[in-house]
Amino acid sequence: MNLAELGYVAGWRLVRALPGPVAAALFRAGADRAHRRGGAGTARLAANLRRVVGPEVPEAELAELVRAGLRSYARYWLEAFRLPSRSREQILTGFRLTHGKELLAADVASGRGAVIALPHAGNWDAAGAWVAAQGWPITTVAERLRPEAVYERFLAFRRGLGMEILPTHGGERPPFEILVERLNAGHVVPLLADRDLSARGVEVTFFGGRTRMPAGPALLALRTGAPLYVATMWYEPDAACTSIEGPLELPDPASGPLDQRARLLTQRIADGLAAGIARHPEDWHMLQRMWLDQDGPGDPSPRPRRESRPPAASGPV
């Protein structure tokens, strides 16, 4: 067992053994220490949040927002480590879908499923566990990361919560084909959609700058006709929360070729994600390079780095 795997195993075992208030205080203190020390991740978060809030926000206010963002990210990790030990009732009460539950229930019941474009915000694992606890089938995709042992542990973690997880590559079949089948069987398909991990995504305008986002959510909706929603995710003191907006209007097939319609729909997703992030910027956990013209700490090249986070659900390319 290497050090990375050992760290995750220790987190899942030790953090669950601590009383809740003690664990929360430790993670909050760790976030504050990271804020004081600075570092590439903290600097990148500050740069990303500056894009969100604009140049008119004073530096002191931005610094407080960054600290709140690091605390939010620490809360995500704390909850991820403790989530496997929570009962179904605790999972249902620890997460709230404030808008859209009836829509999703109807989509699942009708057998047409639903695609949900997510930001890297709030707690997407708690959201997935909540969907599974409702008795709704849920399938998503996770990037295959190294070391493989850590990736396998995260697969086991999410599968243990009731989610079907497909690898972005290296599986027996392309994930896109399987997701089409799952949507046609009435599954909920949530996909993180605010950052392209392939450098082959669709270029969009996002908070006034150019970035790339995965085409997967748009292509799945266009291929299957499944409703496509955009999620806003944030934290309240007592729960992780999400609302979904949509379904988005799909471009008419007569309006242009598939790639043109996918670009148009992905821009609509980007606009929806931006609106939600602007409402809850402190809960957007984006510590990586986002914009194509971005310089400074982190990766200076347009190609994204491998994530220093758990393998996240992502859109198929």
Side-chain angles (χ1 to χ4, degrees):
M1 184 180 298
N2 59 40
L3 288 176
E5 185 181 5
L6 183 62
Y8 287 120
V9 171
W12 269 307
R13 291 179 180 174
L14 298 178
V15 174
R16 278 185 280 177
L18 291 172
V22 174
L26 288 174
F27 274 71
R28 188 168 54 250
D32 290 348
R33 182 170 182 267
H35 182 252
R36 290 192 299 270
R37 292 181 60 187
T42 299
R44 179 60 73 198
L45 178 62
N48 290 339
L49 289 175
R50 172 58 76 188
R51 292 266 187 155
V52 173
V53 301
E56 66 278 1
V57 170
E59 285 296 324
E61 186 175 333
L62 178 65
E64 285 302 308
L65 181 61
V66 171
R67 183 172 71 166
L70 292 171
R71 285 184 171 186
S72 177
Y73 192 36
R75 179 174 173 178
Y76 162 76
W77 278 105
L78 170 62
E79 293 181 353
F81 285 137
R82 296 174 71 90
L83 198 54
S85 63
R86 296 176 70 82
S87 66
R88 178 176 179 271
E89 181 180 355
Q90 289 173 321
I91 287 172
L92 291 173
T93 58
F95 174 86
R96 287 196 297 271
L97 182 58
T98 64
H99 179 264
K101 181 179 179 180
E102 295 79 10
L103 293 171
L104 280 186
D107 294 333
V108 172
S110 71
R112 63 180 180 174
V115 182
I116 306 176
L118 308 176
H120 285 79
N123 191 327
W124 50 91
D125 287 316
W130 182 89
V131 168
Q134 295 291 328
W136 301 340
I138 176 172
T139 304
T140 188
V141 177
E143 185 189 16
R144 187 185 293 276
L145 299 181
R146 294 180 180 179
E148 184 75 10
V150 172
Y151 170 76
E152 291 295 335
R153 286 188 180 274
F154 269 100
L155 287 188
F157 158 59
R158 287 176 173 137
R159 287 168 176 165
L161 297 172
M163 295 180 260
E164 180 185 20
I165 308 296
L166 308 174
T168 53
H169 61 277
E172 295 182 1
R173 297 170 57 201
F176 190 87
E177 293 181 5
I178 300 174
L179 291 176
V180 168
E181 293 177 0
R182 299 297 187 265
L183 284 167
N184 290 332
H187 286 220
V188 176
V189 175
L191 298 168
L192 285 165
D194 56 349
R195 183 170 179 262
D196 176 51
L197 299 177
S198 69
R200 299 187 302 273
V202 176
E203 187 171 312
V204 296
T205 300
F206 189 60
F207 289 106
R210 295 182 306 112
T211 189
R212 294 190 183 99
M213 292 186 178
L219 289 173
L220 281 170
L222 292 170
R223 170 75 176 273
T224 65
L228 170 61
Y229 301 95
V230 177
T232 297
M233 309 186 77
W234 72 98
Y235 275 123
E236 296 291 347
D238 63 328
C241 297
T242 296
S243 67
I244 59 172
E245 301 297 328
L248 300 186
E249 181 180 356
L250 303 185
D252 189 284
S255 64
L258 178 61
D259 62 339
Q260 179 178 319
R261 286 180 281 137
R263 285 195 298 272
L264 176 61
L265 192 51
T266 303
Q267 182 62 63
R268 292 176 184 171
I269 292 171
D271 293 341
L273 292 172
I277 291 167
R279 289 194 293 271
H280 304 280
E282 70 279 4
D283 292 314
W284 188 39
H285 306 151
M286 186 54 66
L287 279 69
Q288 291 79 29
R289 184 177 186 272
M290 267 296 299
W291 284 271
L292 300 179
D293 62 349
Q294 209 168 18
D295 296 317
D299 181 14
S301 70
R303 184 172 181 82
R305 293 182 300 169
R306 291 289 182 178
E307 303 275 358
S308 58
R309 59 162 72 237
S314 60
V317 177

